[in-house]
Amino acid sequence: MTGSSIPTVTGPVESYVAIGDSFTEGVGDPGPDGTFVGWADRLAGMLAAQAPPGFRYANLAVRGRLLGPIVAEQVPRATALAPDLVTFCAGGNDILRPGSDPDALAEQYEKALVQLLTRVGTVVVCTGFDTRGVPVLRHLRGKIATYNTHLWALADRHHCPVLDLWSLRSVQERDAWSEDRLHLSALGHERVARRCAEALGVEAAAPSSPVPPPAALTAAPSLPAAGPRSPAAARRDDLHWARHHLLPWIGRRLRGQSSGDHVEAKRPELLPL
């Protein structure tokens, strides 16, 4: 299934609010000033290019957030802002937790979706990535697929467009991911923004502000070169990743800490882009 099977937006989008976790905040895609850009900011640039003057955008996403806090904190705020469009990407961090239940998560997601639709013109439902090629996370593929199936069903039930990340083959390439293998690179974020624009029926012929020019959309320099690797090189890459990214991530989980502790939303107000 792809986003094109769900009704797209009608008319120009004049206001957009993004809610979610590190994926929507844009982690892995640093801008010139050190703040993250990310696919939602890039999508906002595409929408602004086609909207009447005065297009407004807010990004409430915060890295590390679980579905519960997103529903409790970001959903009411987005509902109160009553924009034309909301992208709702949440639940991925919950799926990573042992013992999480994708059925229960989907029920919680749907209640929040219904709340958003009381005031929001269009809500985009976001599926999870296919992790079959990701060390450790490949073992969660079944739970992600179950959650995605629920998301497709509720999107159909509530007539919402879908940002289908599971079938987006271009983000299964190594250059679409940052060194930590958990967050997209600038190139990956650009590909997601274009997929979301496609799901909305929005023209995305060229990036626009605040999107960097295409020449800047390259993979992180620290990523290993694309192409075949020897088994020894693959093991070295995996050990480097485990030492510098996986073990610190596990340590935070054991300590009950989050990368988003003490982090505020980067665009909390619905303001002109």
Side-chain angles (χ1 to χ4, degrees), residues 22-257:
S22 60
F23 169 61
T24 301
E25 183 186 350
V27 174
D29 182 12
D33 61 354
T35 60
F36 293 114
V37 183
W39 69 271
D41 286 23
R42 295 174 184 275
L43 175 64
M46 297 172 189
L47 295 170
Q50 301 184 39
F55 174 86
R56 296 174 300 149
Y57 168 55
N59 191 318
L60 309 180
V62 177
R63 70 200 74 169
R65 287 294 189 268
L66 298 172
L67 178 58
I70 292 172
V71 170
E73 301 162 8
Q74 298 179 29
V75 169
R77 176 61 177 158
T79 304
L81 292 171
D84 294 333
L85 173 69
V86 164
T87 52
F88 185 11
C89 303
N93 287 324
D94 299 80
I95 293 292
L96 297 177
R97 266 57 175 185
S100 60
D101 181 358
D103 300 331
L105 290 172
E107 291 180 8
Q108 188 177 16
Y109 186 107
E110 184 170 20
K111 290 178 182 177
L113 177 61
V114 170
Q115 178 181 346
L116 285 167
L117 288 171
T118 61
R119 298 286 305 280
V120 177
T122 300
V123 180
V124 174
V125 172
C126 307
T127 74
F129 292 99
D130 185 350
T131 58
R132 60 181 169 181
V134 184
V136 181
L137 299 186
R138 66 168 61 98
H139 301 294
L140 298 173
R141 192 175 183 230
K143 287 177 66 175
I144 297 170
T146 300
Y147 188 51
N148 284 352
T149 301
H150 283 301
L151 294 177
W152 269 105
L154 65 89
D156 181 65
R157 186 154 57 245
H158 298 286
H159 309 289
C160 296
V162 176
L163 173 52
D164 183 15
L165 301 174
W166 181 276
S167 68
L168 186 56
R169 297 296 179 88
S170 63
V171 295
Q172 294 174 9
E173 299 170 3
R174 289 167 60 204
D175 62 358
W177 293 88
S178 62
E179 185 182 23
D180 68 8
R181 306 186 189 180
L182 295 172
H183 300 101
L184 295 175
S185 65
L187 187 60
H189 278 285
E190 172 70 7
R191 289 169 177 170
V192 169
R194 290 178 177 275
R195 168 54 68 91
C196 194
E198 175 188 342
L200 291 168
V202 173
E203 178 64 35
S208 59
S209 179
V211 181
L217 300 177
T218 57
S222 55
L223 281 174
R229 294 177 297 163
S230 69
R235 284 194 296 272
R236 285 196 299 271
D237 289 342
D238 288 345
L239 286 172
H240 175 84
W241 169 74
R243 183 179 304 113
H244 293 279
H245 300 289
L246 178 61
L247 291 178
W249 180 82
I250 292 174
R252 289 195 300 272
R253 300 287 81 74
L254 293 175
R255 294 189 298 271
Q257 297 175 339

